[in-house]
């Protein structure tokens, strides 16, 4: 019986998330109502409130889930080895590809600006931990370098998503890693 309830809860949350993201793609969160989310999800409002306190809570839970997935994923790799760095970047891009609409929406003007900041913080701390000390950079240099690389990578990824992912995750991973490691000499 509890397995059936768990499946039902998962399904309800999934439908609510999808409905919310589809609305967020069209308009800012301040213009979205719980009533609209429930109508699209075909779920009554009392069910919504058993899972989330409001639509801002729903958005926060979606973002937390993504942040947790990415953190877990990043921490399963060691960034000091070039090949592993490339594989990690490719796997992250594959994750983004599988969730393209969600990332496209959350990183859009209607999304929460703190989401992008949280993504940057995770990537920067990971990079500092795994790359800075290996390359004998002091703390300040590591912070600046990671800011430079991560903000560039995030903006390249945003552009890639907006351009309907014209290149494969593998091609993008190679490009991003080359830009990060060799800068413009990659283009020569």
């Amino acid at each position: 019986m509890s397995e059936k309830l768990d499946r039902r809860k998962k399904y309800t949350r999934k439908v609510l998330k999808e409905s919310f993201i589809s609305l967020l793609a069209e308009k800012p969160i301040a213009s979205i109502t719980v009533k609209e989310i429930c109508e699209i999800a075909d779920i009554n409002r009392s069910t919504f409130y058993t899972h989330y306190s409001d639509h801002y809570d729903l958005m926060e839970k979606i973002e937390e889930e993504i942040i947790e997935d990415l953190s877990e994923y990043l921490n399963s790799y060691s960034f000091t080895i070039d090949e592993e760095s490339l594989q990690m970047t490719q796997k992250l891009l594959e994750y983004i590809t599988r969730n393209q609409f969600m990332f496209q929406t959350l990183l859009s003007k209607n999304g929460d600006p703190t989401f992008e900041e949280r993504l940057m913080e995770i990537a920067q701390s990971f990079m500092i931990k795994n790359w800075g000390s290996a390359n004998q950079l002091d703390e300040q240099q590591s912070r600046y370098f990671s800011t430079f690389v991560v903000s560039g990578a995030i903006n390249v990824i945003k552009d890639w998503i907006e351009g309907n992912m014209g290149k494969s995750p593998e091609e993008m991973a190679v490009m991003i890693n080359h830009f990060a490691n060799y800068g413009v000499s990659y283009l020569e």
Side-chain angles (χ1 to χ4, degrees), residues 89-100 103-104 107 152-173 175-176:
T89 305
Q90 183 177 336
K91 293 295 181 192
L92 287 172
L93 292 169
E94 288 169 358
Y95 176 82
I96 291 169
T97 301
R98 285 191 305 275
N99 299 285
Q100 177 184 359
F103 274 95
Q104 190 172 23
L107 292 171
I154 286 176
N155 282 296
V156 166
I157 291 168
K158 284 172 63 174
D159 192 47
W160 175 62
I161 292 169
E162 288 300 317
N164 292 318
M165 301 178 166
K167 293 190 177 291
S168 71
E170 182 179 8
E171 291 170 309
M172 289 303 296
M175 187 184 312
I176 289 169

Side-chain angles (χ1 to χ4, degrees), residues 6-185:
D6 287 344
R7 280 200 327 236
R8 199 175 299 160
K9 278 184 181 180
K10 284 180 185 178
Y11 173 78
T12 300
R13 289 180 181 159
K14 178 180 180 280
V15 171
L16 289 169
K17 288 175 189 177
E18 289 170 354
S19 299
F20 172 74
I21 292 295
S22 70
L23 286 167
L24 190 62
E26 297 172 13
K27 57 187 176 178
I29 189 169
S31 300
I32 295 173
T33 65
V34 170
K35 182 181 176 189
E36 288 176 296
I37 297 168
C38 292
E39 285 174 359
I40 292 171
D42 196 25
I43 290 173
N44 67 49
R45 288 173 59 180
S46 62
T47 302
F48 177 93
Y49 288 116
T50 62
H51 296 277
Y52 307 103
S53 58
D54 58 22
H55 56 297
Y56 292 97
D57 182 40
L58 171 57
M59 183 166 184
E60 188 177 318
K61 297 291 191 282
I62 291 169
E63 292 174 355
E64 284 174 7
E65 189 177 301
I66 291 170
I67 297 294
E68 191 176 295
D69 284 352
L70 291 176
S71 292
E72 199 174 290
Y73 192 78
L74 282 172
N75 289 319
S76 70
Y77 284 91
S78 170
F79 194 47
T80 55
I81 303 167
D82 283 344
E83 287 176 5
E84 205 164 90
S85 168
L86 182 62
Q87 284 179 324
M88 179 202 63
T89 305
Q90 183 177 336
K91 293 295 181 192
L92 287 172
L93 292 169
E94 288 169 358
Y95 176 82
I96 291 169
T97 301
R98 285 191 305 275
N99 299 285
Q100 177 184 359
F101 185 65
M102 187 177 336
F103 274 95
Q104 190 172 23
T105 303
L106 291 174
L107 292 171
S108 75
K109 67 181 183 338
N110 291 339
D112 177 7
T114 63
F115 177 65
E116 186 173 333
E117 292 168 17
R118 290 167 64 194
L119 289 176
M120 277 197 63
E121 287 172 16
I122 288 169
Q124 279 185 283
S125 63
F126 176 79
M127 191 173 181
I128 289 169
K129 182 180 102 186
N130 291 285
W131 196 88
S133 60
N135 290 290
Q136 295 146 352
L137 297 177
D138 65 35
E139 190 176 323
Q140 187 178 41
Q141 289 172 325
S142 289
R143 190 168 39 84
Y144 288 146
F145 181 71
S146 66
T147 299
F148 179 78
V149 171
V150 171
S151 62
I154 286 176
N155 282 296
V156 166
I157 291 168
K158 284 172 63 174
D159 192 47
W160 175 62
I161 292 169
E162 288 300 317
N164 292 318
M165 301 178 166
K167 293 190 177 291
S168 71
E170 182 179 8
E171 291 170 309
M172 289 303 296
V174 168
M175 187 184 312
I176 289 169
N177 275 284
H178 278 287
F179 285 161
N181 291 323
Y182 309 111
V184 293
S185 66

